[in-house]
Amino acid sequence: MNSYITAHINHAAFQHNLALIKQKVGDAKILAIIKSNGYGHGLLRAAASLQQADAFGVARIDEAAELRAAGITHPITVFSSFANKNELQDLSRLNLDTVIFNFKQLELFCTQPLENPLTIWLKIDTGMHRLGFPPEEIGRAYQALHNCKNLREPIRFLTQLACADEPTDAHNQQQIQCFNKFINWNGARSIANSAALFAFPETHMEWVRPGISLYGISPFAEKTGSDLGLRPVMTLQTKLIGINKISKGESIGYGASWTCPEDMLIGVAAIGYGDGYPRNARDGTPILVGDKICPLVGRVSMNLVMIDLGNNPNAQLGDPVILWGEKLPVEIIAKWSDTISYELLCRVSPRMEFVES
Ligand SMILES: *Cc1c(COP(=O)(O)O)cnc(C)c1O
């Protein structure tokens, strides 16, 4: 256990975000996405906080198995589906819902004897070209699936938008129109991830699939969660473990990549890329020392970062250092590190101490 770093998980923020999304989507059901260890927040922690969701979504069968082992009885959809008999048997035994996106899976599904029938989402590739049946093949897939004794009716339909985080991109309307050709088919439909949920109310349909927004984070590059009325669930915090006076002209850290333009007070905080803080965070990335924003300087090490304490000359050893959270949006840190907040959250090491309130 890392004794310096804590990830604070605020359950009230989780509940606030879920309530806000519920209010936005009206009658649509909520399939809360908690893959990748609940976007780094902890799979079971997220599930415990989001019990008011109608269902959970994960990427892999082992994640769903962990939820079942913890006594979670909600419907759970496994989005990466199955590739062989054993995985299909596991899905059935654990009473999981899943996705079918090719004819090989369809054939396996229709020929295996299974303990329990399964609810199936047929995935339609409306233009993202990752997984899914092309629209012209969906009729054949639907008929084949319809005749399977392992199916728990009705069949559901799902697609994923490629550019929902950029609402003005023309792909969005093309994909939505393509999906709407199936609007008269009998069965629940789902398009919306967080971005579509906020940007395109017409995508709410029967089921929405929010992920990042449940954690209080904006799916849009130009907005933070609070701009959308969300509250960040995680605050990542460590301590100041060094304060050094460094002279003008001296360089700091690995590669001597940063040089002091004047005599400076440099703080050292106990977190680095080995703990999930991004190594490519640039000089100037904001860090909260006490209640003052101070810039990162020099390269991020495995378990340490250096900070220019010019804005907080009275900082003391042991002072709290916040990397992101309620007072410092992770969306901003993502920009400074040339990535997206999703990746920063998923990378948070599960080894650190999680404190829940
Ligand atoms: C991860 C995922 C989501 C959630 O996306 P967010 O952008 O985090 O809201 C929705 N649907 C599917 C199929 C996913 O894999």
Side-chain angles (χ1 to χ4, degrees):
M1 193 65 75
N2 189 311
S3 58
Y4 294 108
I5 310 174
T6 47
H8 291 258
I9 302 297
N10 181 343
H11 287 287
F14 255 139
Q15 263 131 47
H16 166 87
N17 299 331
L18 180 61
L20 183 118
I21 290 166
K22 266 193 186 216
Q23 186 213 329
K24 259 202 143 37
V25 303
D27 291 338
K29 290 187 175 168
I30 295 181
L31 202 163
I33 305 286
I34 55 175
K35 66 194 176 193
S36 265
N37 194 31
Y39 288 48
H41 294 63
L43 178 71
L44 298 180
R45 238 171 254 126
S49 223
L50 297 170
Q51 288 198 39
Q52 300 301 316
D54 299 287
F56 293 121
V58 293
R60 311 258 157 77
I61 296 171
D62 60 340
E63 297 170 308
E66 194 178 333
L67 291 170
R68 286 285 182 254
I72 306 275
T73 56
H74 288 62
I76 303 173
T77 295
V78 177
F79 281 96
S80 294
S81 191
F82 57 92
N84 57 48
K85 279 185 217 173
N86 289 344
E87 289 172 1
L88 184 54
Q89 297 290 356
D90 286 344
L91 288 167
S92 172
R93 182 174 44 83
L94 293 166
N95 203 6
L96 303 172
D97 304 342
T98 196
V99 178
I100 286 184
F101 47 75
N102 64 40
F103 283 106
K104 189 160 175 265
Q105 292 170 328
L106 202 48
E107 194 193 324
L108 201 58
F109 182 68
C110 294
T111 51
Q112 285 301 308
L114 293 180
E115 236 169 278
N116 305 303
L118 266 63
T119 294
I120 297 291
W121 293 92
L122 267 187
K123 188 158 195 175
I124 309 177
D125 176 12
T126 54
M128 183 165 173
H129 304 319
R130 188 176 59 179
L131 293 174
F133 292 96
E136 61 275 14
E137 287 181 1
I138 202 75
R140 191 155 64 91
Y142 181 86
Q143 278 312 323
L145 183 57
H146 200 62
N147 297 326
C148 290
K149 60 183 181 319
N150 289 327
L151 175 73
R152 181 181 292 137
E153 296 267 15
I155 297 171
R156 298 177 178 179
F157 300 93
L158 157 82
T159 197
Q160 180 86 342
L161 300 181
C163 305
D165 58 329
E166 288 172 36
T168 56
D169 191 299
H171 285 92
N172 291 308
Q173 291 311 324
Q174 287 164 13
Q175 287 196 260
I176 292 169
Q177 278 171 22
C178 178
F179 192 74
N180 280 344
K181 288 187 206 141
F182 304 95
I183 209 152
N184 295 322
W185 294 42
N186 182 27
R189 298 152 305 152
S190 179
I191 298 183
N193 58 5
S194 297
L197 187 160
F198 281 91
F200 307 116
E202 71 270 30
T203 63
H204 293 170
M205 300 181 164
E206 286 75 45
W207 284 90
V208 293
R209 313 189 304 268
I212 196 81
S213 52
L214 290 169
Y215 306 91
I217 309 302
S218 165
F220 308 109
E222 302 310 320
K223 289 198 165 97
T224 64
S226 69
D227 295 335
L228 301 171
L230 300 165
R231 289 178 56 194
V233 172
M234 181 194 292
T235 296
L236 186 62
Q237 181 172 327
T238 186
K239 289 178 185 157
L240 208 56
I241 61 168
I243 299 178
N244 303 313
K245 285 182 184 155
I246 310 288
S247 305
K248 175 178 176 173
E250 292 294 316
S251 55
I252 306 277
Y254 283 119
S257 67
W258 196 83
T259 303
C260 297
E262 57 195 10
D263 290 354
M264 298 185 71
L265 210 51
I266 300 291
V268 184
I271 194 161
Y273 60 82
D275 307 300
Y277 192 78
R279 182 175 180 276
N280 42 351
R282 289 194 297 276
D283 292 325
T285 301
I287 295 180
L288 258 178
V289 180
D291 58 356
K292 302 277 192 323
I293 292 278
C294 298
L296 171 84
V297 290
R299 282 202 193 140
V300 173
S301 312
M302 192 178 290
N303 301 109
L304 298 169
V305 292
M306 262 83 89
I307 307 167
D308 167 3
L309 292 179
N311 280 345
N312 191 352
N314 298 322
Q316 301 292 315
L317 290 179
D319 277 0
V321 172
I322 290 178
L323 291 313
W324 60 67
E326 195 122 31
K327 296 183 193 129
L328 181 56
V330 69
E331 293 92 327
I332 290 175
I333 310 306
K335 282 206 153 176
W336 280 90
S337 7
D338 297 318
T339 185
I340 53 175
S341 40
Y342 296 77
E343 187 183 15
L344 295 184
L345 295 175
C346 290
R347 270 200 218 159
V348 167
S349 167
R351 284 182 299 126
M352 68 190 54
E353 187 185 356
F354 280 78
V355 177
E356 301 178 46
S357 61

